Amino acid sequence: MYELGEKSTGKKKLKSSDIQKTISADLSITRDDVKAALKDLVDEGKLIYTYFGGSFVEIPPK
Amino acid sequence: MAAPQRRTDIGPPHYKEFLPPVIQKNYGDWKHHEVLSGGVMVHTANSGDKIWSVRVASPRLLSTDTIRDYAAMAEKYCGGYIRFTTRNNVEFLVSDEKNLEPLQKELNSKKYMIGGIGPRISNIVHTQGWIHCHSAATDASGLVKALMDEFADYFTTKETPNKVRLAVACCVNMCGAVHCSDIAVVAIHRKVPTIDHDKVKNMCEVPSTIGSCPTGAISPEPSKKSVKINADKCMYCGNCFTVCPPIEIHDPEYDGVAIVVGGKVGNLRSNPKFSKLAVPFIKNNPPRWPEVTAAVKKILDAYIAGAEKHERVGEWIERISWEKFFKVTGLPFTFQHIDDFVIARETFRTAATFKW
Amino acid sequence: MPKKYETPLLDELEKGPFPSFVTEIKKAAAKSDMAADELGQLEKSYRDKRGYWKHGGIVGVRGYGSGVIGRYSSLADQFPDVANFHTVRINCTSGFFYTSEFLKEMCDIWDKYGSGLTNLHGSTGDLVLLGTNTENLEPIFAEFSSRGWDLGGSGSALRTPSCCVGPARCEWSNINTLDITYNVTQEFQDEMHRPAFPYKFKIKTAGCAVDCIASIARADLSIIGTWKGKIAVDQGEAANYAKKGMKIQEEIVNKCPSKCMSYDGKELKINDDDCVRCMHCIAKMTKALKPTGEKGATILMGSKAPFVIGATLSWVIVPFMKLEEPYDELKDLIRKMWEFWDEYGKNRERIGELVIRKGMREFLEFIGIDPVPQQVKEPRRDPFFFWTEADLQK
């Protein structure tokens, strides 16, 4: 998931639902599992929410 | 001192903790209410219990000093119970009738305005403006202050045919019920935005910027990795600026406000209605916007003179017709009044019946 | 000693009877450099006729994507104490009831960590703490959450639900607006704090068709209390209104939108079958008229301000729903709506815009609601309609 964030940095802003949809399809796991993993990553500070005319998930700037 | 332990996803506290005992006892069991004066009403429960509400004007933007003063008065007269209305008025909830007079006396001595209940002008719902908003094309608080100073008597004592709901929005985002108010002021831009292409390249997503335009005026400018705007299609809404800040829409010389009228949200008598354009443009004239106050007064005076009892502004206009509205207010009718947005045709007149 | 600016333009707005926001900012500025710089920058805006704020970016409390709105001065060199000046949204109580004890605590925290300026309340209904810097966000959140208060919604999330005063102090409420709002807010904390929607989603609950919370104009989901049954008439009280000067024929009967009332000078009659429950007669004669029978709500959706397709008012999807704790039917409906939006919605597309784009049929079939005439003002007037394979077999 973090990799997906890395790949998109500087290209497209990802919405939380984009991540949930892509990963649950790629790895055939449930949306709820991805959602929980995403919550953990945000709680740890490895990913953060940002806002630009809509809410997105990004890797925090170093 | 270490910060206390944070907790997440607990939501707000239960509302019951904040209800005065007389409300807890008679919750959902109120019988009727009476308006005793411009700013005082009493609700009577089936049990016979009563609660008095004293409504006071607020600028919505409050300092902690003022909130502490509200709290102190609530403690002195209301057992500590206080609420705010959906139009940002303050309501002191008095359970003991003998506190009613002293509370009003203290409020009056401190120059708080008691009023806003019944067929009157209540507080103006408004937005942040220059105080705190990135997209403001005017200052909402200043306009509100100027308007409410002008109409203060209609808040405290004087009556109007029915309640008059005013609103001010500092841009067409309309964070407030401007689109459904009796009389509302909304700030607008009038010039095509300018684009800082270098910054667009780094800060913005081209597809979402294109998608933000309601009239399809934005298209890609591949050579600059940016976008371009078709000036013939742009209606200056500024939505592109919110998505992509390097598209600059602000223009102090040409920005200003429009006045819209005749909207309502309640279903009483007639269905909820949108506000419609009355005055397409008045330039920003801070600090008191006298031209705006004068135009609103013109509309309000015509309404008070012409409306039947219980008619809201929109119901009055629909009864007398829009052509008469422009006649009695003396407001000019211009090309801007005829809709040419994407949903225009619904407003064209498709009958031969109208007034001269 | 805090900073001080000359503010000749804003000083003009301290005159006059209505309480002055400038006086409020000055009170805060006497204690806070942030509020002082806010005042200084605002005076400049009044001089230059333009705002100087930038939005967006990365601010928030750990784990949340909501509740803090990033705001930055574009004149940070002139007004460094508002270089970042973020809004914190505290989830209001249902019905905006407070105790003095809480208000005083809130003021103490906010004086310590912020500008001392607030909005009671913001347009959506949050208790808005107006202006603090990034470092203070975590301590503010810890202070409030440890006392039982949480942040409200912002961004592409469920926004703080709000409601009218309802059964707490109004005889007209057909539903428990405060309880519905509290329940829905608690149920959907994750959707409020971790933005995962295409755009914002607002829920407003009004106890009756007077709609004091403006739900029909300002909510993606509007819940409006109503009833199925007769309006009970207390003829004695009706006569009292007439005695006190009310012209019942003119003011009540003639203003009835469905012409279901009559009055012969003695008796007020209502043909309840024709009543559309607009609330006019009840609001004007509250002592004489009372709705009776089954209570519930009409569920509408889709209202919003003009962006992008023009302003909309909410339209009916469920004409009548019983609303009793634990409100499962309502919560299931909300989840279904979000599923549809998640499936088909584009970034920054409100759910009402999506339903207009995809068509009501697709939406209603997805959420499992049958077509009924109450959903429309009138049937379609064009001859262009879809037939599915299943329709053709009927």
Side-chain angles (χ1 to χ4, degrees):
Chain A
M1 188 178 306
Y2 186 80
E3 279 170 27
L4 184 68
E6 226 165 23
K7 266 190 248 166
S8 322
T9 302
K11 285 183 201 153
K12 184 182 184 311
K13 288 190 186 297
L14 285 177
K15 291 193 79 73
S16 156
S17 58
D18 297 334
I19 297 175
Q20 292 175 30
K21 280 180 193 169
T22 313
I23 295 190
S24 69
D26 285 0
L27 305 177
S28 25
I29 51 175
T30 67
R31 281 283 294 264
D32 283 345
D33 287 342
V34 188
K35 210 166 146 183
L38 188 63
K39 180 172 184 290
D40 286 345
L41 281 170
V42 174
D43 282 345
E44 286 166 26
K46 290 196 174 143
L47 290 175
I48 50 163
Y49 286 103
T50 59
Y51 179 86
F52 250 105
S55 302
F56 302 95
V57 179
E58 289 178 50
I59 293 168
K62 299 269 148 50
Chain B
M1 201 180 75
Q5 187 60 43
R6 80 206 286 275
R7 294 188 286 169
T8 57
D9 299 299
I10 56 172
H14 198 278
Y15 57 91
K16 262 213 167 121
E17 297 171 35
F18 303 91
L19 301 177
V22 63
I23 286 186
Q24 295 204 27
K25 184 182 159 203
N26 298 287
Y27 191 91
D29 203 21
W30 296 99
K31 195 174 175 197
H32 56 70
H33 76 276
E34 263 178 284
V35 178
L36 302 176
S37 72
V40 183
M41 59 181 166
V42 58
H43 284 77
T44 307
N46 285 313
S47 68
D49 291 347
K50 288 173 193 266
I51 187 163
W52 290 264
S53 304
V54 179
R55 191 177 288 179
V56 171
S58 147
R60 187 179 81 131
L61 177 79
L62 297 173
S63 66
T64 47
D65 287 3
T66 300
I67 298 170
R68 284 194 184 92
D69 193 37
Y70 292 158
M73 286 189 285
E75 277 171 14
K76 209 159 150 192
Y77 305 109
C78 311
Y81 295 99
I82 186 169
R83 74 176 287 268
F84 295 83
T85 72
T86 56
R87 302 191 73 84
N88 309 311
N89 297 294
V90 187
E91 275 182 355
F92 292 91
L93 304 168
V94 180
S95 304
D96 188 344
E97 193 175 6
K98 72 176 192 306
N99 285 329
L100 201 55
E101 275 309 309
L103 168 64
Q104 291 182 77
K105 219 178 211 172
E106 180 164 348
L107 288 167
N108 284 326
S109 74
K110 289 177 170 169
K111 303 261 185 269
Y112 287 109
M113 269 170 67
I114 302 173
I117 299 177
R120 293 190 170 78
I121 293 179
S122 185
N123 211 351
I124 299 181
V125 167
H126 67 100
T127 59
Q128 295 292 18
W130 292 332
I131 284 173
H132 210 221
C133 186
H134 64 284
S135 68
T138 193
D139 186 46
S141 297
L143 274 161
V144 167
K145 168 72 175 146
L147 285 164
M148 286 307 286
D149 280 344
E150 176 72 34
F151 303 123
D153 289 348
Y154 287 107
F155 182 88
T156 53
T157 50
K158 278 189 183 171
E159 290 193 1
T160 44
N162 197 340
K163 54 187 175 186
V164 178
R165 295 300 182 235
L166 306 181
V168 173
C170 56
C171 82
V172 292
N173 256 313
M174 294 191 188
C175 311
V178 160
H179 59 302
C180 295
S181 296
D182 290 282
I183 306 175
V185 179
V186 55
I188 55 164
H189 306 286
R190 296 187 300 157
K191 295 265 276 187
V192 179
T194 53
I195 305 173
D196 184 336
H197 291 291
D198 282 343
K199 283 191 183 156
V200 169
K201 194 168 63 185
N202 298 324
M203 284 175 71
C204 309
E205 265 184 28
V206 170
S208 60
T209 309
I210 291 170
S212 73
C213 181
T215 62
I218 302 179
S219 55
E221 175 85 287
S223 62
K224 295 175 182 148
K225 289 188 178 164
S226 178
V227 294
K228 57 176 186 270
I229 298 174
N230 179 343
D232 292 338
K233 282 188 175 175
C234 175
M235 298 183 91
Y236 336 110
C237 73
N239 203 29
C240 51
F241 164 75
T242 292
V243 182
C244 175
I247 301 181
E248 177 59 84
I249 183 81
H250 296 102
D251 190 319
E253 198 184 334
Y254 289 94
D255 291 348
V257 304
I259 298 175
V260 294
V261 300
K264 74 197 258 285
V265 295
N267 290 261
L268 297 83
R269 300 167 305 281
S270 60
N271 287 341
K273 305 176 203 301
F274 290 118
S275 318
K276 288 107 187 169
L277 184 64
V279 180
F281 184 75
I282 299 174
K283 70 178 171 43
N284 272 325
N285 191 4
R288 294 201 78 103
W289 286 266
E291 298 83 1
V292 176
T293 316
V296 173
K297 187 168 188 313
K298 203 184 263 184
I299 296 164
L300 186 75
D301 286 346
Y303 162 68
I304 292 168
E308 291 174 0
K309 194 171 182 187
H310 305 314
E311 262 178 347
R312 294 282 292 267
V313 171
E315 293 168 317
W316 160 64
I317 297 173
E318 281 176 11
R319 179 172 56 78
I320 67 167
S321 79
W322 281 94
E323 52 275 24
K324 282 276 187 217
F325 167 79
F326 285 98
K327 199 169 189 174
V328 298
T329 54
L331 298 170
F333 190 82
T334 67
F335 274 124
Q336 276 78 22
H337 288 91
I338 303 176
D339 197 349
D340 42 20
F341 188 60
V342 293
I343 45 172
R345 66 177 185 192
E346 283 174 33
T347 60
F348 299 161
R349 192 187 300 272
T350 53
T353 51
F354 47 81
K355 297 178 185 176
W356 302 114
Chain C
M1 191 63 198
K3 298 183 193 178
K4 220 170 166 337
Y5 293 95
E6 291 300 312
T7 54
L9 290 172
L10 291 174
D11 293 351
E12 286 298 311
L13 289 168
E14 292 200 278
K15 299 170 184 168
F18 193 73
S20 168
F21 69 101
V22 175
T23 307
E24 294 301 308
I25 303 175
K26 284 187 178 177
K27 280 185 196 171
K31 294 186 286 192
S32 154
D33 278 343
M34 286 187 230
D37 270 1
E38 158 73 48
L39 189 70
Q41 179 171 318
L42 187 62
E43 176 74 12
K44 184 165 168 55
S45 281
Y46 268 68
R47 244 183 354 251
D48 301 349
K49 301 183 189 178
R50 63 158 300 161
Y52 289 107
W53 296 104
K54 296 187 291 185
H55 71 298
I58 313 162
V59 284
V61 298
R62 186 161 42 85
Y64 278 16
S66 255
V68 176
I69 296 94
R71 200 66 84 208
Y72 309 85
S73 172
S74 55
L75 304 172
D77 45 340
Q78 287 177 63
F79 304 103
D81 285 294
V82 291
N84 47 80
F85 199 59
H86 314 309
T87 296
V88 181
R89 290 183 180 162
I90 304 288
N91 197 136
C92 57
T93 55
S94 285
F96 311 110
F97 285 89
Y98 295 98
T99 56
S100 55
E101 198 185 349
F102 164 71
L103 290 180
K104 286 188 293 186
E105 259 183 4
M106 183 268 285
C107 290
D108 291 344
I109 301 170
W110 189 230
D111 276 342
K112 186 171 168 191
Y113 292 108
S115 69
L117 292 169
T118 71
N119 282 152
L120 291 160
H121 290 79
S123 281
T124 299
D126 295 281
L127 194 167
V128 169
L129 304 177
L130 200 69
T132 190
N133 55 37
T134 313
E135 304 82 72
N136 284 328
L137 296 172
E138 279 297 332
I140 289 168
F141 180 57
E143 294 282 359
F144 277 97
S145 65
S146 65
R147 286 174 170 82
W149 295 79
D150 207 336
L151 301 188
S154 68
S156 307
L158 171 64
R159 299 301 184 85
T160 304
S162 64
C163 62
C164 68
V165 71
R169 201 207 52 200
C170 182
E171 66 269 29
W172 301 332
S173 197
N174 296 291
I175 48 175
N176 194 342
T177 58
L178 285 78
D179 204 50
I180 293 163
T181 299
Y182 178 75
N183 258 274
V184 166
T185 308
Q186 290 293 349
E187 179 82 15
F188 298 118
Q189 284 289 299
D190 188 59
E191 286 78 0
M192 186 187 272
H193 292 136
R194 292 171 198 82
F197 294 155
Y199 205 15
K200 62 183 97 172
F201 192 93
K202 299 186 179 185
I203 302 176
K204 290 191 191 294
T205 308
C208 76
V210 177
D211 198 358
C212 291
I213 192 76
S215 73
I216 205 160
R218 309 175 61 190
D220 299 275
L221 183 71
S222 317
I223 301 166
I224 300 180
T226 192
W227 69 93
K228 279 181 169 176
K230 290 181 183 311
I231 297 175
V233 186
D234 181 331
Q235 298 293 350
E237 288 289 357
N240 279 339
Y241 279 104
K243 229 180 278 168
K244 284 184 188 158
M246 181 181 276
K247 297 173 188 154
I248 292 179
Q249 181 65 40
E250 219 172 293
E251 292 181 42
I252 307 297
V253 175
N254 293 355
K255 298 273 183 217
C256 172
S258 59
K259 304 280 168 256
C260 72
M261 307 179 85
S262 61
Y263 182 63
D264 59 5
K266 284 190 219 89
E267 198 186 357
L268 182 63
K269 280 194 203 151
I270 301 174
N271 176 5
D272 292 281
D273 250 8
D274 281 342
C275 172
V276 293
R277 304 170 316 285
C278 83
M279 289 300 292
H280 172 71
C281 61
I282 294 169
K284 303 307 168 207
M285 306 178 79
T286 185
K287 288 183 174 175
L289 304 175
K290 285 259 170 296
T292 65
E294 210 181 349
K295 304 290 173 76
T298 300
I299 314 289
L300 308 89
M301 69 164 298
S303 62
K304 49 179 288 301
F307 284 130
V308 177
I309 56 166
T312 50
L313 285 159
S314 283
W315 58 89
V316 174
I317 49 173
V318 183
F320 191 82
M321 186 187 276
K322 291 281 269 185
L323 286 176
E324 279 155 14
E325 229 186 339
Y327 313 107
D328 283 337
E329 196 183 350
L330 177 68
K331 289 173 186 169
D332 287 345
L333 174 74
I334 294 171
R335 282 197 191 89
K336 272 279 178 204
M337 289 174 73
W338 288 343
E339 231 177 275
F340 181 76
W341 195 26
D342 181 72
E343 186 72 28
Y344 302 109
K346 298 190 282 197
N347 184 28
R348 280 174 70 80
E349 185 174 42
R350 295 282 282 268
I351 192 167
E353 296 175 307
L354 169 64
V355 170
I356 291 170
R357 176 165 67 84
K358 295 288 278 184
M360 270 279 271
R361 176 176 187 161
E362 248 188 85
F363 173 69
L364 291 175
E365 282 187 329
F366 190 97
I367 63 171
I369 290 175
D370 290 332
V372 290
Q374 285 82 1
Q375 289 157 344
V376 294
K377 282 182 203 156
E378 57 187 24
R380 73 195 309 145
R381 48 198 167 190
D382 56 74
F384 313 124
F385 27 101
F386 287 112
W387 295 97
T388 64
E389 273 305 315
D391 290 338
L392 296 174
Q393 301 314 315
K394 274 180 198 163

